[in-house]
Amino acid sequence: MNRPAPGPRRATAASPRRFTYPEVGATRSPALPDGYHHLRHRTLVGHGRDAFEAAGAAVTTWRMHRASGARLRADAVRAEPGARVRVSVGAGPLEYGVPCEVVWTAYEERRTGFAYGTLTGHPESGEEAFVVEQLPDGSVWFTVTAFSRPARWYTRVAGPLVPVAQRWYARRLGRTVRRIARG
C-alpha cells in the first residue's frame, strides 16, 4: 500500500527539527529536483519471491543499514511516514550521527521500500530512497535514489568527495541487501 508523504511537520518542544529542503517526497518521481547532486544506483539482489521478501524486510526494518556497518536508532520498528531515524558511524566521542525522517513508504505486491529526508543538523540537505522491486521475469532489484547538496561548511569544503562517498555507500548497501536476500 502506498502511503502519501506527510506535509511539513510542526515543531514542538519535543520535536524541534524540520526538513532542510522543500521538495519533500520528490524521490518518488523519476525527475529529481534541479540544484542537487543526483544519485541512482541499482543492484541485482536475487530472483524469486523469497529474495524479494527477504530484501524488502531488510530494507524496511533497518536491517540493511545495520548489516552494512552503520548504527541506526529509529522510533519505529519498520519504516513508516513520520518515523525519525538517526544513522551513525564511529564510536564513543568519534561517533557521528545524522538525523532523518521517513517521508514515504511503499508496501506493494512487487515493490517495497521507503525514503527519508534530512532534518536540521544533517550535513547534507535532501532525500534518499531505498526500494526493492521484483520484475515480471522474477529478478529482484534494489535501487538507491537520492538528491542532496551540502548543508554545512565542511560538506561544502569536501566538494566532490561527498558524492563519491554517497556512491560508495549505495554500492555497499546493494551488496548488503544481496547478501541478505541470498540467505
Side-chain angles (χ1 to χ4, degrees), residues 91-176:
L94 299 178
E95 181 180 270
Y96 183 72
V98 295
C100 299
E101 183 175 316
V102 176
V103 298
W104 62 262
T105 59
Y107 290 98
E108 303 167 10
E109 182 66 25
R110 294 190 173 271
R111 186 173 174 267
T112 189
F114 73 95
Y116 54 41
T118 58
L119 299 175
T120 304
H122 197 294
E124 291 284 302
S125 177
E127 192 171 292
E128 192 165 21
F130 311 95
V131 175
V132 176
E133 182 176 22
Q134 185 177 22
L135 299 183
D137 69 359
S139 62
V140 179
W141 294 85
F142 169 70
T143 304
V144 177
T145 303
F147 62 91
S148 63
R149 61 182 168 213
R152 297 273 192 247
W153 69 267
Y154 51 88
T155 49
R156 283 190 287 279
V157 168
L161 296 178
V162 174
V164 169
Q166 289 171 331
R167 281 191 303 277
W168 174 85
Y169 188 58
R171 286 191 303 271
R172 182 175 180 88
L173 292 176
R175 288 190 303 271
T176 300

Side-chain angles (χ1 to χ4, degrees), residues 10-78:
R10 278 193 256 145
T12 65
S15 172
R17 293 188 170 169
R18 295 178 183 244
F19 290 109
T20 60
Y21 62 104
E23 304 91 346
V24 175
T27 51
R28 275 191 184 272
S29 170
L32 298 175
D34 292 333
Y36 295 88
H37 168 73
H38 296 169
L39 169 71
R40 292 186 197 274
H41 180 75
R42 191 169 183 226
T43 304
L44 177 65
V45 297
H47 290 83
R49 192 71 191 168
D50 289 345
F52 172 76
E53 289 177 4
V59 168
T60 59
T61 62
W62 323 116
R63 182 176 175 202
M64 167 191 70
H65 284 85
R66 291 181 176 123
S68 74
R71 279 188 304 293
L72 185 137
R73 287 193 310 255
D75 63 8
V77 175
R78 74 178 199 159

